[in-house]
Amino acid sequence: MRILNVEDSELDAELCWRELDRAGLKFIKERVWSREAYEQALHDFAPDLILCDFSFPGAFDGLTALAILKEKSMDIPFIFVSGTIGEDRAVDALKKGATDYVLKEHMDRLVPVVKRALQEAMKRVVLQHARAALRESEERFRQLAENIRDVFFLIDVSDQRVLYVSHAYEEIWNESCASLYENINAWRDAIHPDDKEKTARSYEERVLTGLDYEYRIVRQDGTLRWISDRVFPIWDESGRLQRIAGVASDITLRKRAEERIERLNRIYAVLSGINTLIVRAKSRDGLLNEACRIAIDPGRFRIAWVGLVDRDEDVVKPVASAGDVRDFFDAMPQTALQIGQRGELVEQAVFSGKPVISNDVKRDPRLQAQLRSLDERRIGSLAFVPLLLDGETAGVLALYAADAGVFDDEEIRLLTELAGDIAFALDYLAKGEKLNYLAFYDALTGLPNRALLADRLSQQLVNAEQNGTKVALVIGDVKRFRLINESFGRQNGDMLLREIAERARLGWPNPDSLAHINADCFAGTLVEIKDEAVAVHALERALKVVTGSPYTIGEKELAISMSAGIAVFPADGDTAETLFKNAEAALKKGKLSGERYTFYQPSMNERVAETLLLENKMRRAIDNNEFTLYYQPKLNLATGNISGLEALIRWQDPDNGIILPGEFIPLLEETGMILEVGAWAIRRALTDQRQWRMRGLQAPRIAVNVSAIQLRQTNFVETVREAIMDANLTPHGLDLEITESLIMEDVEESIRKLETLRDMNVNIAIDDFGTGYSSLSYLARLPVQLLKIDRSFIIAMTRDAESMAFVSTIISLAHSLRLKVIAEGVETEEQSQFLKLLKCDEMQGYLFSEPLPFEQITALLDKH
């Protein structure tokens, strides 16, 4: 370092050099003692440190030397080394700019003072250089900022104000720079609502990390710009954040290019997905629904739908859709999909065969009627792309995007290619479906052919074997059809077959199990039949529909007749092929004998004939009032009095006398006649009750059994209500007994019906309780008043402890649910005594009385 010593005494100067040298300081020294020499040394020697005596001989002194230094604005440490300065003058010197002072009698302070002065001088030099560099940097920044398109800004953190913003702000934000100087939050106010919160959260992090951040702004004219900015912290000498500098770039063009590339990539993905789909699509609906799904993901459209042109109704009918559809089509004006409505976008696509787009739905006058629905789904643009088959528009692919301006020329080109692929797939599937149709369906009648019926029959046989049921195959042909063809011509013969097929569809229980297997021959299957008579009934109903009224052929009416052969699984075969062979053999045999229908097994014909004879007798029994009611009393176990009656139906057959219900009830249920007989039983029981009252007897309540078929009828409750009203009994005494398993077939519906009956004061008893599978939770919900314990448990309880425990449990359970318990089939005194001990409420059985006809039960009531 360079030290200038202003000292008139060479000895005193030497003392200073010696102290500094002894301390190990390296320096170059020079001594002056006049003003002229001092000023010259400041210029030529350029000292880093000045050591100066306070007073000299003459006019020049230490304070003058200090004043000269300050006048020249030279920042050089200035230390007084004097023996005569004194305290007051030393303080005055410090005020005038001296760095420090050392008394000559304390030269040991010289080295520490010099070191400290040099260190402080070095700090000032560094700070001056930094400030100079900052000023230079800010000037370069300003010059740069004014000449590029990015926005440069400088913010004072403590005052929260903008120190500088470049003019590019006005071009990008479309706001004046003055507005930002006035309000530092002006730039934030322009940020897109969806980006504001995220931008605010990231700001502090970005100040520390200097990471780029992208967001959108909405200018006053409504246009949207993408911004990328980066901010840089500026710290003061104490390490505190002083300013924030940053640069903001308009990246709108880049983002649009990226979005366009992304959209095109999505379209390519959709195109690829649909091309893959074409290979594996099996049906039109499957193809179109999956195509719409692919358009939503990975295509990321808001809505996608496909409509096919219906030329008969002049409308485009949506057949597949995906995305945010909800009630989209309901909210759409009817005219939007009608062909012939001028100005509608769908119609333009259909008739022009070219894509029709709207890249800004909010400003498109053609979409004003749909604007609310589109706005709810955040749709900004849409396109209708025609599906062309053989140069004609077969349908429309509709795509709805979230942003405006999505559909440019390149995207439309790809979508047109996409629509072409879908149209190709539709054509391919249509031809494939036609071939498939011809392989499994009869082209003349539209019914399944022999191959398809055989396949369905094979499936039915598998199910029947698992369920232990029967399946019947019926094959019938039109008698003398060849003569009809020869007389009326082949064209009229074909017309007749088509009309026969239409009638057969109406008459056959399951039209899907009906087929046209060759020229004049039809076939059908019947599943889950209990016996062969069921097949005969179904066949007779179908024949009545098919042959009941004549056909009009040309201008003439033609009556036809048919023969049928029947084969039944498992008796006549366990494969479809075997059943076909045997049914055809039965048909051939029946045609030779002239029978309307013939079973493959002769014994079966005899059994069916017997069944049909019995059915005819049943019908005659209904017509001739041959049914009657017997009554079995119910006894109150506590009092011994008759507490009720159970009505039991009997058939008074003129040929064979009284027939018990087990022999004819199943047949009544199979034929449906149980509905008529069951309704008659309820009316008859109420009529008999009214007669007892007219005779002055205390007529007990009468329980009538209800079959499964009756309870399943939707008008069952109404039938009971009409019977009560016709009886004109107030109060009536009608109870209904329903089996446990019957109620459990459809619990909710049963509860609904039984609650209605309860409201009509009809008591409900669960018959044969213990043989079904009802749970306690359902039992508690059922609106019933009585439980009847099945007779099998009553018979077993006297010899089987488990049965006794079961009966006891049922009685306790019923009483806890506030139900009465009736034991049926009581035949011994021992059984009666046990039931009393178990606190059973009522019993019925041969111990007290067998079922009795009206006159005998009347006498018994009179006696009791």
Side-chain angles (χ1 to χ4, degrees), residues 740-767:
E740 179 184 5
S741 57
L742 174 57
I743 294 176
M744 298 305 295
E745 285 183 6
D746 187 347
V747 175
E748 299 302 328
E749 182 63 16
S750 296
I751 289 175
R752 187 187 64 79
K753 290 179 179 178
L754 298 183
E755 284 178 344
T756 306
L757 292 170
R758 180 191 59 193
D759 294 341
M760 295 160 49
N761 296 319
V762 175
N763 290 338
I764 305 298
I766 298 182
D767 200 9

PDB file of all heavy atoms in Angstrom, residues 740-767:
ATOM      1  N   GLU A 740     -96.601 -70.254   3.050  1.00  0.00           N
ATOM      2  CA  GLU A 740     -95.405 -69.479   3.376  1.00  0.00           C
ATOM      3  C   GLU A 740     -94.539 -69.251   2.129  1.00  0.00           C
ATOM      4  O   GLU A 740     -94.083 -68.138   1.862  1.00  0.00           O
ATOM      5  CB  GLU A 740     -94.622 -70.253   4.438  1.00  0.00           C
ATOM      6  CG  GLU A 740     -93.333 -69.599   4.880  1.00  0.00           C
ATOM      7  CD  GLU A 740     -92.580 -70.489   5.863  1.00  0.00           C
ATOM      8  OE1 GLU A 740     -93.028 -71.636   6.106  1.00  0.00           O
ATOM      9  OE2 GLU A 740     -91.558 -70.032   6.364  1.00  0.00           O
ATOM     10  N   SER A 741     -94.302 -70.304   1.339  1.00  0.00           N
ATOM     11  CA  SER A 741     -93.430 -70.186   0.163  1.00  0.00           C
ATOM     12  C   SER A 741     -94.033 -69.254  -0.875  1.00  0.00           C
ATOM     13  O   SER A 741     -93.309 -68.555  -1.592  1.00  0.00           O
ATOM     14  CB  SER A 741     -93.183 -71.563  -0.458  1.00  0.00           C
ATOM     15  OG  SER A 741     -94.414 -72.183  -0.800  1.00  0.00           O
ATOM     16  N   LEU A 742     -95.348 -69.212  -0.960  1.00  0.00           N
ATOM     17  CA  LEU A 742     -96.008 -68.336  -1.935  1.00  0.00           C
ATOM     18  C   LEU A 742     -95.753 -66.866  -1.605  1.00  0.00           C
ATOM     19  O   LEU A 742     -95.446 -66.054  -2.485  1.00  0.00           O
ATOM     20  CB  LEU A 742     -97.520 -68.618  -1.959  1.00  0.00           C
ATOM     21  CG  LEU A 742     -98.376 -67.686  -2.821  1.00  0.00           C
ATOM     22  CD1 LEU A 742     -97.887 -67.693  -4.254  1.00  0.00           C
ATOM     23  CD2 LEU A 742     -99.836 -68.094  -2.746  1.00  0.00           C
ATOM     24  N   ILE A 743     -95.838 -66.511  -0.337  1.00  0.00           N
ATOM     25  CA  ILE A 743     -95.588 -65.129   0.067  1.00  0.00           C
ATOM     26  C   ILE A 743     -94.153 -64.721  -0.254  1.00  0.00           C
ATOM     27  O   ILE A 743     -93.881 -63.602  -0.685  1.00  0.00           O
ATOM     28  CB  ILE A 743     -95.867 -64.951   1.575  1.00  0.00           C
ATOM     29  CG1 ILE A 743     -97.362 -65.147   1.858  1.00  0.00           C
ATOM     30  CG2 ILE A 743     -95.427 -63.572   2.057  1.00  0.00           C
ATOM     31  CD1 ILE A 743     -97.720 -65.079   3.323  1.00  0.00           C
ATOM     32  N   MET A 744     -93.226 -65.658  -0.080  1.00  0.00           N
ATOM     33  CA  MET A 744     -91.818 -65.335  -0.254  1.00  0.00           C
ATOM     34  C   MET A 744     -91.400 -65.207  -1.711  1.00  0.00           C
ATOM     35  O   MET A 744     -90.281 -64.802  -1.997  1.00  0.00           O
ATOM     36  CB  MET A 744     -90.955 -66.405   0.428  1.00  0.00           C
ATOM     37  CG  MET A 744     -91.172 -66.507   1.924  1.00  0.00           C
ATOM     38  SD  MET A 744     -90.949 -64.933   2.780  1.00  0.00           S
ATOM     39  CE  MET A 744     -89.222 -64.671   2.488  1.00  0.00           C
ATOM     40  N   GLU A 745     -92.256 -65.556  -2.682  1.00  0.00           N
ATOM     41  CA  GLU A 745     -91.901 -65.428  -4.097  1.00  0.00           C
ATOM     42  C   GLU A 745     -91.613 -63.971  -4.447  1.00  0.00           C
ATOM     43  O   GLU A 745     -90.688 -63.668  -5.183  1.00  0.00           O
ATOM     44  CB  GLU A 745     -93.024 -65.978  -4.979  1.00  0.00           C
ATOM     45  CG  GLU A 745     -93.087 -67.502  -4.992  1.00  0.00           C
ATOM     46  CD  GLU A 745     -94.175 -67.995  -5.928  1.00  0.00           C
ATOM     47  OE1 GLU A 745     -94.787 -67.167  -6.640  1.00  0.00           O
ATOM     48  OE2 GLU A 745     -94.429 -69.211  -5.952  1.00  0.00           O
ATOM     49  N   ASP A 746     -92.454 -63.076  -3.960  1.00  0.00           N
ATOM     50  CA  ASP A 746     -92.257 -61.646  -4.201  1.00  0.00           C
ATOM     51  C   ASP A 746     -92.701 -60.925  -2.940  1.00  0.00           C
ATOM     52  O   ASP A 746     -93.849 -60.495  -2.818  1.00  0.00           O
ATOM     53  CB  ASP A 746     -93.058 -61.193  -5.427  1.00  0.00           C
ATOM     54  CG  ASP A 746     -92.750 -59.755  -5.812  1.00  0.00           C
ATOM     55  OD1 ASP A 746     -92.124 -59.044  -5.003  1.00  0.00           O
ATOM     56  OD2 ASP A 746     -93.139 -59.331  -6.908  1.00  0.00           O
ATOM     57  N   VAL A 747     -91.776 -60.822  -2.003  1.00  0.00           N
ATOM     58  CA  VAL A 747     -92.118 -60.359  -0.657  1.00  0.00           C
ATOM     59  C   VAL A 747     -92.727 -58.963  -0.682  1.00  0.00           C
ATOM     60  O   VAL A 747     -93.781 -58.715  -0.081  1.00  0.00           O
ATOM     61  CB  VAL A 747     -90.871 -60.388   0.254  1.00  0.00           C
ATOM     62  CG1 VAL A 747     -91.203 -59.787   1.607  1.00  0.00           C
ATOM     63  CG2 VAL A 747     -90.377 -61.809   0.415  1.00  0.00           C
ATOM     64  N   GLU A 748     -92.086 -58.036  -1.380  1.00  0.00           N
ATOM     65  CA  GLU A 748     -92.545 -56.641  -1.356  1.00  0.00           C
ATOM     66  C   GLU A 748     -93.942 -56.507  -1.946  1.00  0.00           C
ATOM     67  O   GLU A 748     -94.797 -55.809  -1.389  1.00  0.00           O
ATOM     68  CB  GLU A 748     -91.559 -55.748  -2.110  1.00  0.00           C
ATOM     69  CG  GLU A 748     -90.148 -55.740  -1.523  1.00  0.00           C
ATOM     70  CD  GLU A 748     -90.131 -55.300  -0.071  1.00  0.00           C
ATOM     71  OE1 GLU A 748     -90.981 -54.459   0.303  1.00  0.00           O
ATOM     72  OE2 GLU A 748     -89.283 -55.793   0.692  1.00  0.00           O
ATOM     73  N   GLU A 749     -94.176 -57.185  -3.061  1.00  0.00           N
ATOM     74  CA  GLU A 749     -95.508 -57.111  -3.686  1.00  0.00           C
ATOM     75  C   GLU A 749     -96.538 -57.801  -2.804  1.00  0.00           C
ATOM     76  O   GLU A 749     -97.679 -57.340  -2.663  1.00  0.00           O
ATOM     77  CB  GLU A 749     -95.462 -57.753  -5.070  1.00  0.00           C
ATOM     78  CG  GLU A 749     -96.773 -57.711  -5.844  1.00  0.00           C
ATOM     79  CD  GLU A 749     -97.237 -56.300  -6.160  1.00  0.00           C
ATOM     80  OE1 GLU A 749     -96.426 -55.355  -6.065  1.00  0.00           O
ATOM     81  OE2 GLU A 749     -98.428 -56.129  -6.494  1.00  0.00           O
ATOM     82  N   SER A 750     -96.158 -58.937  -2.181  1.00  0.00           N
ATOM     83  CA  SER A 750     -97.084 -59.641  -1.281  1.00  0.00           C
ATOM     84  C   SER A 750     -97.467 -58.752  -0.103  1.00  0.00           C
ATOM     85  O   SER A 750     -98.644 -58.680   0.271  1.00  0.00           O
ATOM     86  CB  SER A 750     -96.440 -60.937  -0.775  1.00  0.00           C
ATOM     87  OG  SER A 750     -96.197 -61.829  -1.846  1.00  0.00           O
ATOM     88  N   ILE A 751     -96.477 -58.074   0.471  1.00  0.00           N
ATOM     89  CA  ILE A 751     -96.758 -57.186   1.605  1.00  0.00           C
ATOM     90  C   ILE A 751     -97.749 -56.093   1.190  1.00  0.00           C
ATOM     91  O   ILE A 751     -98.684 -55.779   1.917  1.00  0.00           O
ATOM     92  CB  ILE A 751     -95.449 -56.570   2.127  1.00  0.00           C
ATOM     93  CG1 ILE A 751     -94.620 -57.650   2.838  1.00  0.00           C
ATOM     94  CG2 ILE A 751     -95.720 -55.408   3.072  1.00  0.00           C
ATOM     95  CD1 ILE A 751     -93.253 -57.177   3.281  1.00  0.00           C
ATOM     96  N   ARG A 752     -97.527 -55.521   0.008  1.00  0.00           N
ATOM     97  CA  ARG A 752     -98.420 -54.453  -0.455  1.00  0.00           C
ATOM     98  C   ARG A 752     -99.862 -54.947  -0.575  1.00  0.00           C
ATOM     99  O   ARG A 752    -100.808 -54.288  -0.118  1.00  0.00           O
ATOM    100  CB  ARG A 752     -97.940 -53.926  -1.813  1.00  0.00           C
ATOM    101  CG  ARG A 752     -98.695 -52.707  -2.302  1.00  0.00           C
ATOM    102  CD  ARG A 752     -98.281 -52.337  -3.716  1.00  0.00           C
ATOM    103  NE  ARG A 752     -98.632 -53.368  -4.672  1.00  0.00           N
ATOM    104  CZ  ARG A 752     -99.863 -53.534  -5.173  1.00  0.00           C
ATOM    105  NH1 ARG A 752    -100.852 -52.754  -4.782  1.00  0.00           N
ATOM    106  NH2 ARG A 752    -100.098 -54.484  -6.054  1.00  0.00           N
ATOM    107  N   LYS A 753    -100.038 -56.124  -1.166  1.00  0.00           N
ATOM    108  CA  LYS A 753    -101.393 -56.653  -1.343  1.00  0.00           C
ATOM    109  C   LYS A 753    -102.017 -57.035  -0.004  1.00  0.00           C
ATOM    110  O   LYS A 753    -103.204 -56.746   0.250  1.00  0.00           O
ATOM    111  CB  LYS A 753    -101.354 -57.869  -2.275  1.00  0.00           C
ATOM    112  CG  LYS A 753    -101.036 -57.525  -3.730  1.00  0.00           C
ATOM    113  CD  LYS A 753    -100.995 -58.785  -4.593  1.00  0.00           C
ATOM    114  CE  LYS A 753    -100.707 -58.438  -6.042  1.00  0.00           C
ATOM    115  NZ  LYS A 753    -100.605 -59.630  -6.904  1.00  0.00           N
ATOM    116  N   LEU A 754    -101.223 -57.685   0.856  1.00  0.00           N
ATOM    117  CA  LEU A 754    -101.769 -58.142   2.136  1.00  0.00           C
ATOM    118  C   LEU A 754    -102.122 -56.969   3.046  1.00  0.00           C
ATOM    119  O   LEU A 754    -103.082 -57.046   3.823  1.00  0.00           O
ATOM    120  CB  LEU A 754    -100.769 -59.070   2.826  1.00  0.00           C
ATOM    121  CG  LEU A 754    -100.441 -60.374   2.057  1.00  0.00           C
ATOM    122  CD1 LEU A 754     -99.494 -61.238   2.875  1.00  0.00           C
ATOM    123  CD2 LEU A 754    -101.707 -61.148   1.707  1.00  0.00           C
ATOM    124  N   GLU A 755    -101.365 -55.884   2.967  1.00  0.00           N
ATOM    125  CA  GLU A 755    -101.707 -54.700   3.756  1.00  0.00           C
ATOM    126  C   GLU A 755    -103.044 -54.123   3.318  1.00  0.00           C
ATOM    127  O   GLU A 755    -103.853 -53.678   4.140  1.00  0.00           O
ATOM    128  CB  GLU A 755    -100.601 -53.652   3.622  1.00  0.00           C
ATOM    129  CG  GLU A 755     -99.357 -53.969   4.423  1.00  0.00           C
ATOM    130  CD  GLU A 755     -98.256 -52.941   4.222  1.00  0.00           C
ATOM    131  OE1 GLU A 755     -98.348 -52.160   3.238  1.00  0.00           O
ATOM    132  OE2 GLU A 755     -97.308 -52.902   5.028  1.00  0.00           O
ATOM    133  N   THR A 756    -103.293 -54.131   2.020  1.00  0.00           N
ATOM    134  CA  THR A 756    -104.580 -53.645   1.516  1.00  0.00           C
ATOM    135  C   THR A 756    -105.720 -54.537   2.007  1.00  0.00           C
ATOM    136  O   THR A 756    -106.788 -54.049   2.422  1.00  0.00           O
ATOM    137  CB  THR A 756    -104.572 -53.607  -0.026  1.00  0.00           C
ATOM    138  OG1 THR A 756    -103.453 -52.835  -0.461  1.00  0.00           O
ATOM    139  CG2 THR A 756    -105.852 -52.990  -0.555  1.00  0.00           C
ATOM    140  N   LEU A 757    -105.503 -55.850   1.987  1.00  0.00           N
ATOM    141  CA  LEU A 757    -106.526 -56.778   2.478  1.00  0.00           C
ATOM    142  C   LEU A 757    -106.764 -56.592   3.977  1.00  0.00           C
ATOM    143  O   LEU A 757    -107.913 -56.645   4.445  1.00  0.00           O
ATOM    144  CB  LEU A 757    -106.109 -58.222   2.181  1.00  0.00           C
ATOM    145  CG  LEU A 757    -106.095 -58.619   0.696  1.00  0.00           C
ATOM    146  CD1 LEU A 757    -105.428 -59.976   0.522  1.00  0.00           C
ATOM    147  CD2 LEU A 757    -107.525 -58.660   0.139  1.00  0.00           C
ATOM    148  N   ARG A 758    -105.696 -56.377   4.727  1.00  0.00           N
ATOM    149  CA  ARG A 758    -105.845 -56.149   6.173  1.00  0.00           C
ATOM    150  C   ARG A 758    -106.701 -54.915   6.440  1.00  0.00           C
ATOM    151  O   ARG A 758    -107.526 -54.899   7.353  1.00  0.00           O
ATOM    152  CB  ARG A 758    -104.462 -55.981   6.799  1.00  0.00           C
ATOM    153  CG  ARG A 758    -104.475 -55.728   8.309  1.00  0.00           C
ATOM    154  CD  ARG A 758    -103.106 -55.301   8.783  1.00  0.00           C
ATOM    155  NE  ARG A 758    -102.677 -54.078   8.103  1.00  0.00           N
ATOM    156  CZ  ARG A 758    -101.434 -53.615   8.144  1.00  0.00           C
ATOM    157  NH1 ARG A 758    -100.487 -54.267   8.797  1.00  0.00           N
ATOM    158  NH2 ARG A 758    -101.110 -52.489   7.501  1.00  0.00           N
ATOM    159  N   ASP A 759    -106.492 -53.873   5.609  1.00  0.00           N
ATOM    160  CA  ASP A 759    -107.287 -52.661   5.770  1.00  0.00           C
ATOM    161  C   ASP A 759    -108.758 -52.910   5.468  1.00  0.00           C
ATOM    162  O   ASP A 759    -109.619 -52.115   5.867  1.00  0.00           O
ATOM    163  CB  ASP A 759    -106.755 -51.557   4.854  1.00  0.00           C
ATOM    164  CG  ASP A 759    -105.347 -51.114   5.263  1.00  0.00           C
ATOM    165  OD1 ASP A 759    -104.960 -51.381   6.419  1.00  0.00           O
ATOM    166  OD2 ASP A 759    -104.639 -50.525   4.413  1.00  0.00           O
ATOM    167  N   MET A 760    -109.043 -54.013   4.748  1.00  0.00           N
ATOM    168  CA  MET A 760    -110.436 -54.398   4.454  1.00  0.00           C
ATOM    169  C   MET A 760    -110.974 -55.355   5.523  1.00  0.00           C
ATOM    170  O   MET A 760    -112.020 -55.969   5.337  1.00  0.00           O
ATOM    171  CB  MET A 760    -110.514 -55.063   3.067  1.00  0.00           C
ATOM    172  CG  MET A 760    -110.171 -54.124   1.912  1.00  0.00           C
ATOM    173  SD  MET A 760    -109.696 -54.978   0.376  1.00  0.00           S
ATOM    174  CE  MET A 760    -111.004 -56.190   0.201  1.00  0.00           C
ATOM    175  N   ASN A 761    -110.248 -55.507   6.670  1.00  0.00           N
ATOM    176  CA  ASN A 761    -110.632 -56.401   7.784  1.00  0.00           C
ATOM    177  C   ASN A 761    -110.586 -57.869   7.393  1.00  0.00           C
ATOM    178  O   ASN A 761    -111.306 -58.697   7.970  1.00  0.00           O
ATOM    179  CB  ASN A 761    -112.023 -56.041   8.328  1.00  0.00           C
ATOM    180  CG  ASN A 761    -112.045 -54.655   8.926  1.00  0.00           C
ATOM    181  OD1 ASN A 761    -111.107 -54.252   9.614  1.00  0.00           O
ATOM    182  ND2 ASN A 761    -113.099 -53.897   8.637  1.00  0.00           N
ATOM    183  N   VAL A 762    -109.743 -58.200   6.397  1.00  0.00           N
ATOM    184  CA  VAL A 762    -109.526 -59.596   6.035  1.00  0.00           C
ATOM    185  C   VAL A 762    -108.288 -60.073   6.792  1.00  0.00           C
ATOM    186  O   VAL A 762    -107.222 -59.474   6.681  1.00  0.00           O
ATOM    187  CB  VAL A 762    -109.306 -59.749   4.509  1.00  0.00           C
ATOM    188  CG1 VAL A 762    -108.965 -61.193   4.170  1.00  0.00           C
ATOM    189  CG2 VAL A 762    -110.536 -59.292   3.752  1.00  0.00           C
ATOM    190  N   ASN A 763    -108.455 -61.147   7.597  1.00  0.00           N
ATOM    191  CA  ASN A 763    -107.317 -61.720   8.307  1.00  0.00           C
ATOM    192  C   ASN A 763    -106.527 -62.635   7.370  1.00  0.00           C
ATOM    193  O   ASN A 763    -107.114 -63.322   6.523  1.00  0.00           O
ATOM    194  CB  ASN A 763    -107.774 -62.506   9.527  1.00  0.00           C
ATOM    195  CG  ASN A 763    -108.303 -61.594  10.623  1.00  0.00           C
ATOM    196  OD1 ASN A 763    -107.974 -60.410  10.663  1.00  0.00           O
ATOM    197  ND2 ASN A 763    -109.128 -62.134  11.512  1.00  0.00           N
ATOM    198  N   ILE A 764    -105.204 -62.636   7.557  1.00  0.00           N
ATOM    199  CA  ILE A 764    -104.331 -63.455   6.722  1.00  0.00           C
ATOM    200  C   ILE A 764    -103.653 -64.500   7.605  1.00  0.00           C
ATOM    201  O   ILE A 764    -103.078 -64.179   8.651  1.00  0.00           O
ATOM    202  CB  ILE A 764    -103.253 -62.614   6.010  1.00  0.00           C
ATOM    203  CG1 ILE A 764    -103.903 -61.472   5.212  1.00  0.00           C
ATOM    204  CG2 ILE A 764    -102.388 -63.491   5.103  1.00  0.00           C
ATOM    205  CD1 ILE A 764    -104.817 -61.919   4.107  1.00  0.00           C
ATOM    206  N   ALA A 765    -103.730 -65.765   7.181  1.00  0.00           N
ATOM    207  CA  ALA A 765    -103.066 -66.858   7.880  1.00  0.00           C
ATOM    208  C   ALA A 765    -101.986 -67.429   6.970  1.00  0.00           C
ATOM    209  O   ALA A 765    -102.217 -67.631   5.775  1.00  0.00           O
ATOM    210  CB  ALA A 765    -104.061 -67.946   8.267  1.00  0.00           C
ATOM    211  N   ILE A 766    -100.797 -67.669   7.550  1.00  0.00           N
ATOM    212  CA  ILE A 766     -99.742 -68.353   6.799  1.00  0.00           C
ATOM    213  C   ILE A 766     -99.929 -69.846   6.979  1.00  0.00           C
ATOM    214  O   ILE A 766     -99.813 -70.377   8.087  1.00  0.00           O
ATOM    215  CB  ILE A 766     -98.351 -67.925   7.282  1.00  0.00           C
ATOM    216  CG1 ILE A 766     -98.141 -66.422   7.051  1.00  0.00           C
ATOM    217  CG2 ILE A 766     -97.266 -68.707   6.563  1.00  0.00           C
ATOM    218  CD1 ILE A 766     -96.778 -65.926   7.460  1.00  0.00           C
ATOM    219  N   ASP A 767    -100.264 -70.525   5.880  1.00  0.00           N
ATOM    220  CA  ASP A 767    -100.565 -71.958   5.917  1.00  0.00           C
ATOM    221  C   ASP A 767     -99.280 -72.768   5.812  1.00  0.00           C
ATOM    222  O   ASP A 767     -98.289 -72.317   5.230  1.00  0.00           O
ATOM    223  CB  ASP A 767    -101.498 -72.284   4.748  1.00  0.00           C
ATOM    224  CG  ASP A 767    -102.234 -73.600   4.973  1.00  0.00           C
ATOM    225  OD1 ASP A 767    -102.138 -74.132   6.091  1.00  0.00           O
ATOM    226  OD2 ASP A 767    -102.894 -74.071   4.033  1.00  0.00           O
TER     227      ASP A 767
END
